[in-house]
Amino acid sequence: MTKQAFGKTQDGRGIDLYTLTNRNGVRISITNYGGAIVSIETPDRQGRTGEVALGFDSLDGYLGDHPFFGVIVGRYANRIARARFSLKGVEYRLAANEGENHIHGGIRGFDKAVWQAREVARDGAPALELSYLSKDGEEGYPGNLSVTVLYSLSDGNELRLDYTATTDKDTVLNLTNHSYFNLAGEGMGDILGHELTLYASRFTPIAKDLIPTGELRSVAGTPFDFRRPVAIGDRIDADDEQIRFGGGYDHNFVLDSGGGSLALAARVADPASGRVLEVLTTEPGVQLYTGNFLDGTVKGKGGKVYARRSGFCLETQHFPDSPNHPEFPSTTLKAGDSFRSATVYRFLTMP
């Protein structure tokens, strides 16, 4: 692991960039500002290493408005309807930062926090541990919440994120990483030709405001059936109400594994480059987002323009708006209990 200065925040706090490299030449760079995965360099079928993560060359890009490139999202990833929920008979009101709804932790979520960094070892290899104390009342959430995210890179080309958290007061919690991927290469066009497999027989339909209705709907016979490999672009503009609501794919899929133990959630292959990404998680859901709101106004690394659908996200998670849907898997973390979750991004190549 190497460490270098990455810039300073507006109040003068120094921010660092940590780079993990394995024996195959895979390089992962992470900053302690927002816990963002800044860079993922991995080989194609010819052994040529290329950048596959959307993001910025310097801290300045992350300090401004951006679509959550690579960051840790919390306290609650995804959306909470009407920016409120009740817990033990008490209503908590959150920041409404997407219309009347709350998204991705609020105005100053975990993506804008400066995390404490520590170099540690996992399975004998260097790893990066980031920790953050979210104080009681931050963005409206109850409880002093201590969160740790451990990033480790194996020689099997697996980037693993281990999340842990404790609280001194009952609260709700839903953590994810919000990396955007383009396996053809960051800034190298759209991802519509990428072939996606999702190990999910159901998804959670949304209303016009992108909040789940509460239904768990079968993917069979719909544009959401990725149980066998399908190019992302094949049905992304289908004449389907759910597609119209999302402007493409912006939906939570209910994983067949059910969560609890590490299991394969998704596989994406780019036929052109031969790169393959597999996502494993202990979470019960994954949000497929196809960069529908990227519009060419964001310039990333090397000044490359990120146009619509130039990246995809697979956000491992509990379901959106779970605090307001008791029929969904619970996101309540009780005082004194420990939250644990793991997600693995495995990088492969095909012939």
Side-chain angles (χ1 to χ4, degrees):
M1 182 190 297
T2 61
K3 172 185 174 181
Q4 65 187 80
F6 195 51
K8 291 186 177 181
T9 63
Q10 293 172 346
D11 61 0
R13 299 181 68 177
I15 302 299
D16 295 313
L17 187 70
Y18 299 82
T19 299
L20 300 167
T21 306
N22 71 6
R23 66 182 181 187
N24 303 315
V26 173
R27 289 164 47 92
I28 313 288
S29 296
I30 304 132
T31 177
N32 62 316
Y33 183 81
I37 297 174
V38 172
S39 174
I40 300 174
E41 297 176 67
T42 186
D44 64 10
R45 64 160 59 88
Q46 305 298 329
R48 297 171 299 200
T49 298
E51 176 65 75
V52 299
L54 277 61
F56 302 104
D57 290 317
S58 69
L59 178 63
D60 289 345
Y62 295 94
L63 294 178
D65 290 333
H66 68 94
F68 299 94
F69 286 140
V71 295
I72 298 169
V73 177
R75 282 190 194 189
Y76 200 96
N78 220 303
R79 297 169 173 90
I80 294 180
R82 297 182 301 114
R84 65 186 68 179
F85 68 92
S86 294
L87 195 58
K88 299 177 71 172
V90 177
E91 183 179 81
Y92 294 94
R93 298 200 173 196
L94 310 173
N97 59 328
E98 188 185 58
E100 67 173 4
N101 301 319
H102 176 87
I103 186 170
H104 290 337
I107 296 168
R108 291 197 62 82
F110 290 179
D111 59 297
K112 296 178 178 65
V114 177
W115 294 66
Q116 296 297 312
R118 187 166 70 103
E119 297 182 35
V120 297
R122 188 181 191 279
D123 297 332
L128 175 66
E129 180 187 272
L130 297 183
S131 58
Y132 178 66
L133 173 62
S134 176
K135 294 183 179 180
D136 186 23
E138 184 175 281
E139 294 297 312
Y141 290 96
N144 292 296
L145 181 79
S146 297
V147 183
T148 298
V149 184
L150 182 69
Y151 302 76
S152 57
L153 175 63
S154 75
D155 285 329
N157 297 352
E158 293 184 343
L159 172 63
R160 179 175 174 128
L161 277 64
D162 287 284
Y163 305 85
T164 57
T166 58
T167 180
D168 62 2
K169 186 178 182 180
D170 289 6
T171 191
V172 297
L173 183 65
N174 188 26
L175 299 175
T176 195
N177 175 269
H178 206 291
S179 286
Y180 288 69
F181 301 95
N182 186 326
L183 300 181
E186 166 265 347
M188 299 295 290
D190 63 46
I191 43 79
L192 300 181
H194 287 38
E195 296 175 351
L196 170 65
T197 308
L198 277 171
Y199 299 91
S201 300
R202 296 175 295 170
F203 74 106
T204 52
I206 54 176
K208 287 182 180 180
D209 61 358
L210 308 184
I211 298 293
T213 63
E215 179 188 358
L216 304 182
R217 183 180 297 178
S218 172
V219 300
T222 77
F224 296 85
D225 191 349
F226 289 96
R227 290 174 294 178
R228 294 180 179 175
V230 177
I232 290 174
D234 275 6
R235 300 170 302 195
I236 200 169
D237 293 316
D239 184 14
D240 178 273
E241 182 181 68
Q242 286 297 305
I243 291 289
R244 290 194 295 273
F245 285 168
Y249 296 107
D250 193 0
H251 295 75
N252 171 68
F253 286 75
V254 181
L255 296 174
D256 293 339
S257 63
S261 58
L262 196 65
L264 187 61
R267 185 179 190 273
V268 188
D270 173 40
S273 68
R275 292 190 182 95
V276 176
L277 169 64
E278 292 183 342
V279 180
L280 300 86
T281 189
T282 60
E283 290 293 299
V286 62
Q287 184 88 4
L288 170 63
Y289 174 57
T290 48
N292 311 313
F293 298 113
L294 296 175
D295 59 5
T297 60
V298 176
K299 290 185 178 180
K301 298 164 188 169
K304 293 175 182 174
V305 172
Y306 293 150
R308 190 176 190 225
R309 297 173 176 166
S310 58
F312 68 89
C313 302
L314 290 167
E315 305 156 56
T316 56
Q317 61 178 10
H318 271 57
F319 305 167
D321 200 32
S322 289
N324 295 312
H325 287 280
E327 69 275 19
F328 287 173
S330 176
T331 53
T332 299
L333 178 62
K334 295 182 179 180
D337 287 352
S338 295
F339 169 88
R340 294 185 181 278
S341 176
T343 292
V344 172
Y345 302 102
R346 179 188 293 153
F347 298 96
L348 307 167
T349 55
M350 59 183 180

